[in-house]
Amino acid sequence: MEDKMSGFSMRNFSTLKVKRDIYERSRQNMLDTQLIPRGINQPEVLHAMLTIPRHLFVDEALWSQAYTDHALPIGEKQTISQPYMVAFMTESLGLRGDEKVLEIGTGSGYQSAVLSMMAHKVYSIERLGKIAARSRKLLDGFMCPNVIIRVSDGTLGWPDEAPFDAIIVTAGSPVVPDALIGQLKPGGRLVIPVGEEEAQKLLRITRREDGSAETEVLGGCKFVKLIGKQGWQEAPRERFL
Ligand code: SAH
């Protein structure tokens, strides 16, 4: 069934195995108080945020905070992004439903689940095996068959599956990794936080048909570090943790 307004395929909406739950009102409230007043208006983004049970992507002890206006810890010193940031970055990718999307930084898998409802296929790379294993289990349980998770250094992209219509990086980088721009299709968009450790600017880089790139600054943000060959260097002691 096609959504006539946007041409969106409803395929993923029906395969996502989501039961009614006691947090439905919290999700509606999240839309009404955090997303819509700040300008999120793409119906498919709002629908995905209303549908996906964000609480299941955090530890049960944090369920009561899952729909608040904050990032939350997910273990291994990593975080699930604030709902507004997930919605804003997703909307910034300009998805129509038929895209091949690359995500760097799977983390909890929540952003991947949102993307799974918005695109044809999602390739997600996570650096930490333990986190990737948990997210894979969770997404398999929701029947998100169009999300593939791999453990590797996402700053190098996913050459075997390139090029992509859109790339989203959910960790902060000191530079824009060249490899990622190189893996965009002409007209493709890369959304990435770039800057210092403590604060970054969210950039959208669009690859033009002639191969050149246009950069827009979408706003300020704060993400955990993107660690890899074309990101931050791993601190020596972290290697032994
Ligand atoms: N999108 C996530 C947010 C994840 S936080 C969510 O919705 O929950 C950022 C994640 O990026 C962390 O899990 C971290 O381990 C991962 N990460 C950091 N550097 C990376 C790299 N070079 N490649 C892949 N993942 C990386």
Side-chain angles (χ1 to χ4, degrees):
M1 183 174 70
E2 292 291 315
D3 172 339
K4 296 222 169 52
M5 270 166 59
S6 62
F8 245 81
S9 162
M10 299 299 278
R11 167 184 41 84
N12 297 329
F13 293 8
S14 53
T15 56
L16 201 77
K17 200 170 66 185
V18 175
K19 295 202 186 87
R20 291 181 73 83
D21 65 73
I22 58 163
Y23 291 104
E24 268 177 21
R25 286 178 72 160
S26 309
R27 284 195 288 279
Q28 185 63 56
N29 192 45
M30 172 180 83
L31 263 64
D32 294 342
T33 62
Q34 302 168 36
L35 309 187
I36 297 169
R38 292 185 194 143
I40 303 299
N41 64 19
Q42 188 179 349
E44 295 79 12
V45 175
L46 293 170
H47 180 81
M49 303 282 296
L50 191 60
T51 308
I52 294 166
R54 178 175 162 93
H55 61 283
L56 298 183
F57 292 81
V58 296
D59 192 272
E60 196 165 347
L62 296 173
W63 281 10
S64 64
Q65 297 176 54
Y67 299 97
T68 58
D69 197 13
H70 302 289
L72 293 171
I74 55 169
E76 313 289 313
K77 296 196 223 148
Q78 307 303 323
T79 54
I80 177 173
S81 307
Q82 173 199 23
Y84 170 71
M85 190 50 73
V86 173
F88 181 66
M89 290 177 84
T90 308
E91 192 166 87
S92 304
L93 293 173
L95 300 175
R96 296 160 43 95
D98 55 357
E99 292 86 354
K100 191 172 176 183
V101 179
L102 174 65
E103 177 190 25
I104 312 298
T106 315
S108 67
Y110 177 67
Q111 173 77 73
S112 326
V114 171
L115 291 169
S116 83
M117 291 179 68
M118 307 272 313
H120 175 61
K121 192 131 193 186
V122 181
Y123 296 84
S124 187
I125 306 180
E126 170 55 50
R127 174 179 163 258
L128 301 173
K130 198 168 157 190
I131 285 194
R134 201 173 53 197
S135 310
R136 195 179 278 132
K137 208 167 145 200
L138 198 55
L139 293 177
D140 284 352
F142 285 131
M143 290 172 55
C144 287
N146 61 338
V147 179
I148 305 181
I149 298 173
R150 153 185 175 172
V151 178
S152 67
D153 175 5
T155 66
L156 305 176
W158 195 320
D160 294 349
E161 289 297 342
F164 298 94
D165 298 286
I167 302 180
I168 177 171
V169 182
T170 61
S173 182
V175 292
V176 179
D178 293 341
L180 299 185
I181 297 190
Q183 291 178 26
L184 278 179
K185 284 185 193 170
R189 288 85 55 203
L190 163 65
V191 172
I192 178 169
V194 177
E196 304 300 320
E197 252 185 80
E198 288 306 313
Q200 304 94 35
K201 288 210 161 28
L202 190 64
L203 305 183
R204 175 169 54 198
I205 298 163
T206 305
R207 185 172 176 159
R208 297 202 191 94
E209 300 289 331
D210 66 6
S212 64
E214 179 196 335
T215 302
E216 298 161 85
V217 179
L218 303 179
C221 55
K222 183 175 187 309
F223 279 83
V224 297
K225 285 199 282 183
L226 181 76
I227 298 174
K229 282 218 170 68
Q230 295 193 22
W232 293 99
Q233 297 308 301
E234 187 178 30
R237 65 184 164 76
E238 281 182 318
R239 286 191 203 124
F240 303 105
L241 290 180

